[in-house]
């Protein structure tokens, strides 16, 4: 198997030969990792359960954690899940890589379709699954929303959506997600929505695929799965806590498959994660910081406040050259959009001419970074 270099590896190769301007303190807005303290009650739950390290954890997860996740889904999306409709996992990256391998194993000529730009693990899963890939390009012309091609959907075994979207910050409405559920049933493909940014929003909470499925009458979630994570929600990526939920028939086999992988979450991590999934106050507090960051961006760069996520998908003339300039002249790192996308069969790369800026710092550092970007754009 041959995998593409990760975007951050490409960025390092681009910037390593450059000497940054030491007159500026270094700032990094590349990775989607919240730069805030993990809330104290989560850290206390972790430390207070250290004695459980003496026990083997269940691959399927403890009920204290699984129950907290189901309660979160009910509280947030108005959907009541049965025990067999959710599988907790060791972060969602694990699922995004190994679930397609499980699902597509018996397909002689598997086909995956996913949004472009994308989280690179989708591509890695396609390579590991021997799957042909179709891209759903997201660009300004289509409002950063995937356009339906019946021929593509007819041939697809697995379609991965990512809304709220990384990196474009686009969202799909409940009705739009419901149309995708109908398409999954009509063309008989498995539809997975990666919802890891569902809790980072400035105003109205974005819709989820499970509530959309229920809204169009697919209350058993046939062919429909949602993925979510605690990493962004609770500023706790190190907990590696996520879940996949929906179609119980699909999850039954996947649950058994995971027992062979050996990626059970340690019990102290499960205890801390359960506390985090059960609490909403700390999430609201984090959202207020992200909202302030976007308001600063509007003030300095004139950008609109997105519906969700903590990213700016900023248009520039030449993303590679601008990334080099920001690092060389202002000691600031951002990520070129083409590193997050692929060129399609028509020669289009929807990430070209864009940079992704992760507004994951405190407001004072965010302001400092955005002022440098504005100066670079005006220079």
């Amino acid at each position: 198997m041959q995998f593409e270099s990760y975007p951050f590896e490409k960025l390092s190769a681009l910037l390593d030969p450059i000497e940054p301007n030491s007159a500026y303190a270094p700032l990094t807005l590349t990775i989607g990792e919240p730069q805030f303290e993990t809330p104290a009650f989560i850290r206390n739950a972790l430390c207070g359960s250290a004695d459980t390290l003496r026990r083997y954890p269940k691959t399927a997860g403890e009920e204290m954690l699984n129950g907290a996740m189901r309660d979160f889904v009910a509280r947030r999306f108005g959907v009541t899940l049965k025990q067999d409709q959710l599988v907790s996992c060791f972060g969602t990256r694990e699922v995004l890589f190994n679930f397609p391998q499980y699902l597509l194993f018996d397909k002689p000529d598997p086909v995956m379709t996913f949004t472009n730009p994308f989280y690179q693990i989708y591509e890695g899963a396609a390579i590991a699954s021997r799957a042909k890939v179709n891209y759903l390009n997201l660009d300004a012309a289509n409002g950063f929303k995937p356009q339906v091609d019946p021929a593509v959907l007819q041939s697809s075994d697995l379609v991965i959506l990512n809304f709220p979207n990384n990196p474009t910050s686009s969202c799909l409405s409940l009705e739009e997600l419901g149309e995708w559920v109908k398409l999954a049933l009509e063309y008989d493909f498995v539809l997975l929505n990666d919802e890891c940014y569902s809790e980072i929003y400035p105003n109205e909470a974005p819709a989820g695929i499970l509530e959309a499925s229920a809204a169009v009458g697919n209350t058993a979630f046939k062919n429909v799965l949602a993925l979510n994570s605690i990493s962004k929600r609770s500023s706790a990526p190190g907990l590696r806590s996520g879940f996949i939920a929906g179609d119980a028939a699909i999850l039954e086999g996947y649950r058994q498959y995971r027992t062979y992988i050996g990626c059970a979450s340690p019990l102290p991590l499960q205890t801390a994660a359960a506390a985090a999934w059960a609490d909403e106050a700390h999430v609201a507090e984090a959202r207020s910081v992200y909202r302030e960051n976007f308001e600063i961006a509007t003030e300095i760069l004139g950008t609109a406040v997105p519906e969700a996520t903590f990213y700016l998908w900023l248009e520039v003339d030449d993303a590679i050259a601008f990334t080099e300039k920001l690092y060389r002249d202002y000691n600031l790192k951002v990520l070129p959009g083409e590193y997050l996308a692929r060129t399609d069969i028509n020669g289009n790369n929807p990430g070209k001419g864009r940079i992704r800026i992760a507004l994951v710092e405190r407001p004072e550092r965010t302001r400092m970074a955005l002022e440098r970007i504005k100066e670079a754009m005006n220079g």
Side-chain angles (χ1 to χ4, degrees), residues 57-73 86-91 230 239-243 258 264-278:
K58 298 175 184 176
T59 303
E62 300 294 321
E63 178 54 25
M64 64 171 176
L65 175 59
N66 295 342
M69 290 172 167
R70 293 195 304 272
D71 288 346
F72 161 75
V73 173
L86 182 145
V87 174
S88 60
C89 52
F90 196 60
I230 212 166
L239 281 182
R240 310 310 305 136
S241 180
F243 65 77
R258 287 190 72 254
S265 177
L267 289 170
L269 295 186
Q270 291 195 48
T271 300
W277 283 111

Side-chain angles (χ1 to χ4, degrees), residues 135-217:
Y135 296 123
L136 300 170
N137 283 358
L138 306 178
D139 53 37
N142 57 36
F144 304 105
K145 297 185 179 186
Q147 302 302 295
V148 175
D149 183 339
V152 167
L153 299 184
Q154 184 73 54
S155 68
S156 298
D157 299 298
L158 172 62
V159 174
I160 301 179
L161 301 180
N162 169 218
F163 292 95
N165 184 257
N166 166 23
T168 71
S169 296
S170 172
C171 290
L172 296 185
S173 68
L174 183 69
E175 293 73 23
E176 288 169 325
L177 287 171
E179 290 304 311
W180 275 98
V181 172
K182 294 176 185 177
L183 290 169
L185 297 174
E186 178 181 356
Y187 293 101
D188 195 27
F189 59 80
V190 174
L191 175 64
L192 172 64
N193 193 31
D194 178 357
E195 300 179 358
C196 289
Y197 291 90
S198 70
E199 303 313 287
I200 309 300
Y201 55 87
N203 297 304
E204 297 297 321
I209 198 70
L210 296 182
E211 64 176 323
S213 183
V216 298

